[in-house]
Amino acid sequence: MSSGVLALLAFTPILLAGILLIGLRWPARRSMPIVFIVTALIGLTAWDMSFNRILASTLQGLGITVGLLWIIFGAILLLNTLKHSGGITAIRAGFANISPDRRVQAIIITWLFGCFIEGASGFGTPAAIAAPLLVAIGFPAMAAVMLGMMVQSTPVSFGAVGTPIIVGVTTGLDKATISERLEAVGTNWEAYLQLITSDVAIIHAIVGVFMPLFMVMMMTRFFGKNRSWREGLEVLPFALFAGLAFVVPYAITGVVLGPEFPSLLGGLIGLAIVTTAARKGFLLPKANWDFAPSSEWPSEWLGTIEMKLDELTKKPMSSFRAWLPYVLVGVVLVISRTVPVVKDAFTSVSAGRHSDHDRYCHLLPSSHAGEGTDRCGSRIQWRAAQRGLRSAVHRAYGADPDQFRRKYVGSAQHADRDGDLGGR
């Protein structure tokens, strides 16, 4: 097949999902099984995938789904706990004290708090945490979801303490080959990774300045009483201020410190700056904006999670106690990704995924068999195995170990995947 046909086949599942969900407005429970079947058939016929590989990919997808549902379960459990304990009343009153304007509330909660959660955790948690919080203070469920999805933009590249850059770039590129070329011109991989980080931070920061404004304009246009873009533009000065409050520390930390903390520190610093400025009325619009009464909302705006606002005044509590669970969530997320001991404890349970070093454990020389008995389970043991492999290759062949690995191990892996080796 030509590359154009293959590209079309690869895009077909996404196109079909868009047609069924958006064009025909089918529910996901009907649309996605059809998309899955079509995808599997394309894999079997066009891509020559084996049935076992499709089954394994399906099980992997189910595992990812369970992980996402677990995140959502925790967010909804926290939300309902706050609802019935009176915490939502205090949070709602706190935002009303900052500003009763829904546009300002959307910027502070979704953009700034959401960016902070993305930097700390990533993997969809901003939408899972910020969207229910918006529903709790009186936003339509569909508007909350839309805003939660739009925040998955500028902060995502440095989400989960830089995982997309640190892991994605390192494993997505041929690090050994690139490192050789970099060393030939007098630099190294670390400088190259920092250059990528700086470029990504600057480019995304430029767009991020305008993201709060885009979010608010979408909200007023599709969920406002007057369906107006202009009502969103009325908050232009404050929206740009909120965008800059996030992207300036975001870009500086990306250029100076590296990929771990741009979204995290940008969100935290921006949240402190903007909430303080909003309390003092800095750049706030003169007229407040709100949704129509909830009784006038179309049924499709509503979700299965509904907050009865008249019930939220029964058991008020202090703002500190109300926000404490969300603060603790953020603190735990940061600690679990920045403190090595805690991070290792959280990631010590494996679901059977294997990194690159696991693939070469069977090549460990016999002189290192003692180190290699459980060598795939430990980074320290892998380093010992790697040293032994490099030494053995150099002694036996007089060749550069990295070149040997790319030439022979890589070709063996391709043959194994194609079934030429008959499996292991």
Side-chain angles (χ1 to χ4, degrees):
M1 296 184 186
S2 66
S3 58
V5 173
L6 291 175
L8 179 61
L9 288 173
F11 184 68
T12 296
I14 300 175
L15 179 62
L16 179 60
I19 292 173
L20 296 179
L21 291 170
I22 301 174
L24 301 181
R25 301 182 68 83
W26 283 15
R29 64 178 180 272
R30 291 176 56 193
S31 303
M32 301 319 293
I34 295 176
V35 174
F36 167 75
I37 293 172
V38 171
T39 304
L41 291 174
I42 292 175
L44 284 169
T45 58
W47 300 106
D48 295 326
M49 294 176 65
S50 66
F51 177 80
N52 286 344
R53 175 161 293 189
I54 290 177
L55 178 61
S57 299
T58 302
L59 294 176
Q60 182 186 32
L62 290 174
I64 295 172
T65 301
V66 171
L68 293 175
L69 290 176
W70 183 248
I71 294 173
I72 296 171
F73 167 76
I76 301 303
L77 177 64
L78 176 58
L79 175 65
N80 280 285
T81 301
L82 289 173
K83 170 185 174 182
H84 294 288
S85 64
I88 292 300
T89 303
I91 292 174
R92 184 168 178 262
F95 279 112
N97 291 336
I98 294 176
S99 174
D101 195 314
R102 298 295 192 182
R103 299 168 295 187
V104 175
Q105 294 173 2
I107 290 173
I108 293 175
I109 296 176
T110 311
W111 175 245
L112 296 169
F113 183 62
C115 287
F116 167 73
I117 294 297
E118 175 64 31
S121 176
F123 300 103
T125 49
I129 292 176
L133 183 56
L134 290 174
V135 173
I137 64 172
F139 281 61
M142 184 175 288
V145 170
M146 180 197 72
L147 293 170
M149 293 297 100
M150 291 186 71
V151 78
Q152 306 291 324
S153 52
T154 301
V156 168
S157 292
F158 302 103
V161 199
T163 297
I165 297 293
I166 297 173
V167 178
V169 173
T170 302
T171 60
L173 299 178
D174 187 348
K175 182 178 178 180
T177 301
I178 294 176
S179 296
E180 290 177 0
R181 296 179 179 178
L182 292 171
E183 291 172 1
V185 295
T187 184
N188 54 44
W189 173 262
E190 287 71 23
Y192 179 67
L193 184 64
Q194 181 57 48
L195 177 62
I196 294 175
T197 300
S198 301
D199 288 348
V200 171
I202 293 172
I203 293 171
H204 286 195
I206 294 172
V207 178
V209 174
F210 304 98
M211 279 306 300
L213 179 64
F214 294 157
M215 294 164 65
V216 169
M217 290 177 63
M218 291 289 289
M219 182 179 71
T220 59
R221 173 60 180 83
F222 294 101
F223 299 96
K225 290 181 288 187
N226 301 319
R227 302 292 198 275
S228 171
W229 298 108
R230 182 176 297 177
E231 290 177 343
L233 285 170
E234 290 174 358
V235 77
L236 172 66
F238 183 80
L240 293 180
F241 169 67
L244 288 170
F246 169 74
V247 302
V248 171
Y250 169 92
I252 292 175
T253 52
V255 172
V256 176
L257 299 180
E260 290 88 353
F261 295 106
S263 297
L264 186 69
L265 293 181
L268 190 62
I269 295 172
L271 191 62
I273 293 174
V274 174
T275 53
T276 301
R279 289 183 185 278
K280 298 182 180 297
F282 181 68
L283 296 180
L284 293 183
K286 295 180 180 180
N288 293 325
W289 183 91
D290 201 349
F291 300 102
S294 58
S295 58
E296 300 178 11
W297 295 352
S299 58
E300 59 266 23
W301 287 12
L302 304 175
T304 56
I305 301 174
E306 184 178 358
M307 285 290 169
K308 301 291 186 181
L309 298 182
D310 55 345
E311 297 178 2
L312 300 182
T313 58
K314 294 181 179 180
K315 301 176 182 178
M317 65 170 62
S318 67
S319 295
F320 174 78
R321 290 180 60 194
W323 274 105
L324 185 59
Y326 285 109
V327 173
L328 291 177
V329 168
V331 170
V332 170
L333 290 172
V334 173
I335 293 176
S336 67
R337 285 161 173 80
T338 57
V339 179
V341 175
V342 179
K343 182 177 181 179
D344 291 342
F346 273 93
T347 58
S348 60
V349 179
S350 174
R353 294 178 61 188
H354 301 286
S355 59
D356 287 338
H357 65 265
D358 298 323
R359 302 174 188 169
Y360 309 120
C361 291
H362 64 289
L363 297 174
L364 184 65
S366 58
S367 61
H368 293 266
E371 291 177 321
T373 301
D374 189 30
R375 58 193 176 272
C376 293
S378 167
R379 289 176 182 268
I380 296 176
Q381 291 167 332
W382 161 244
R383 291 191 185 101
Q386 190 179 43
R387 288 195 299 269
L389 177 59
R390 293 174 66 90
S391 176
V393 169
H394 183 70
R395 288 196 305 268
Y397 300 97
D400 178 73
D402 289 329
Q403 293 178 353
F404 177 88
R405 175 180 60 80
R406 287 194 300 274
K407 182 175 181 180
Y408 294 103
V409 177
S411 61
Q413 284 185 315
H414 285 298
D416 192 13
R417 284 196 295 267
D418 295 336
D420 296 335
L421 299 183
R424 293 193 187 119

